Amino acid sequence: AASKVAQSDGHARAACPGTTSLKELPQLRLAQLPVLPTGNDLLARRQRQQLFEQWSSGSGLISLQEVDAGLAQTLGLAISKATVAAAFQVARQVAPPVADFDEWCLDFNEFGAFFLYLERHLKLMGEIARTEDSEDGLDLAAFRDSAQFLQHLGFQA
């Protein structure tokens, strides 16, 4: 069953059913990717809290293994362990932990930063796959589309 996750406009929609690997991203449009609860609004925070509680063992921390399993089971995302590990490390740098604990665990504050990194990563990988999958190569129109997409993500292109 597909879970519900927040869209940036605050409304929930069903996540992609099945498992989505990065190899399958060229076949997906960005609008089909699950929208992760990354917003600052109350709905997104509640959805992050719900996922945190659902995936964790109840210790107030969530491990790399718990997040990896939760992404696959709840959101239908099969993401490389290296990507999830990088997201963990970035989350710890951006939102330092409230206490000293294992580097492969996150507290709830870091969990939101983790989702932000993961969302940007998925969008970026989807765009790269889309442009690389083109049979015509990267023409000027595709280049401009990609440049606009990168600017939307905050890159200077």
Side-chain angles (χ1 to χ4, degrees):
S3 66
K4 299 251 184 198
V5 290
Q7 289 194 61
S8 58
D9 63 4
H11 295 90
R13 72 175 169 111
C16 293
T19 300
T20 303
S21 70
L22 292 180
K23 291 179 184 175
E24 295 169 325
L25 285 177
Q27 290 79 35
L28 292 174
R29 303 297 299 151
L30 287 175
Q32 293 174 304
L33 288 173
V35 179
L36 302 174
T38 58
N40 291 326
D41 57 287
L42 185 58
L43 177 60
R45 185 171 170 78
R46 281 189 197 148
Q47 289 173 329
R48 280 193 303 276
Q49 184 72 40
Q50 184 180 28
L51 289 173
F52 189 87
E53 290 171 1
Q54 182 181 349
W55 296 354
S56 72
S57 61
S59 66
L61 300 173
I62 191 164
S63 72
L64 178 66
Q65 292 82 11
E66 290 168 329
V67 170
D68 192 45
L71 288 168
Q73 293 170 358
T74 308
L75 301 179
L77 291 172
I79 299 173
S80 76
K81 293 209 185 308
T83 299
V84 176
F88 258 64
Q89 295 307 307
V90 169
R92 289 187 63 107
Q93 291 171 9
V94 172
V98 295
D100 188 28
F101 50 82
D102 187 303
E103 70 176 310
W104 297 111
C105 291
L106 299 176
D107 61 27
F108 182 70
N109 292 328
E110 297 167 310
F111 195 56
F114 167 81
F115 273 123
L116 281 171
Y117 176 91
L118 199 59
E119 176 186 61
R120 294 241 171 151
H121 175 81
L122 289 173
K123 287 181 177 180
L124 183 58
M125 293 308 295
E127 180 65 13
I128 290 168
R130 184 187 70 78
T131 56
E132 287 181 347
D133 197 46
S134 173
E135 292 179 16
D136 299 329
L138 187 63
D139 62 12
L140 184 58
F143 177 80
R144 285 183 178 148
D145 286 347
S146 292
Q148 287 178 340
F149 175 79
L150 291 172
Q151 287 173 340
H152 177 73
L153 288 181
F155 293 97
Q156 291 183 348

